[in-house]
Amino acid sequence: MTSLRVCSYVTIRDHCPMRFHVVDSDIVEFSLGAARETFEFVFDATALRDFLRLGTTALGEMDERGQTSAQ
């Protein structure tokens, strides 16, 4: 068994409601979207740290591309 289970595909845009709930010291749940149209996912602490590192790298690359296209 892998450490990922994919259930759906989403696109998250500006002003999307986002919430989180810390379940315990090693689990956090995220909910995105309006109350009746939520997308939810769960991270353990290690996976969340990895995802945040990856996200920080992705934002840096996005910023670089934005600066390049503005020139």
Side-chain angles (χ1 to χ4, degrees):
M1 183 165 119
T2 69
S3 55
L4 173 66
R5 179 177 167 206
V6 177
C7 298
S8 63
Y9 174 89
V10 298
T11 299
I12 302 165
R13 300 275 182 211
D14 292 347
H15 310 294
C16 176
M18 299 182 191
R19 298 163 303 286
F20 72 92
H21 170 70
V22 175
V23 177
D24 61 33
S25 65
D26 195 45
I27 299 291
V28 63
E29 300 172 343
F30 288 92
S31 298
L32 308 174
R36 295 178 186 238
E37 300 175 351
T38 60
F39 177 75
E40 298 177 335
F41 53 100
V42 178
F43 285 99
D44 70 16
T46 301
L48 180 58
R49 284 184 185 93
D50 291 345
F51 187 75
L52 292 173
R53 265 192 295 275
L54 187 65
T56 299
T57 301
L59 279 172
E61 186 175 323
M62 292 166 72
D63 289 343
E64 286 176 11
R65 290 182 182 198
Q67 291 171 1
T68 302
S69 65
Q71 294 176 356

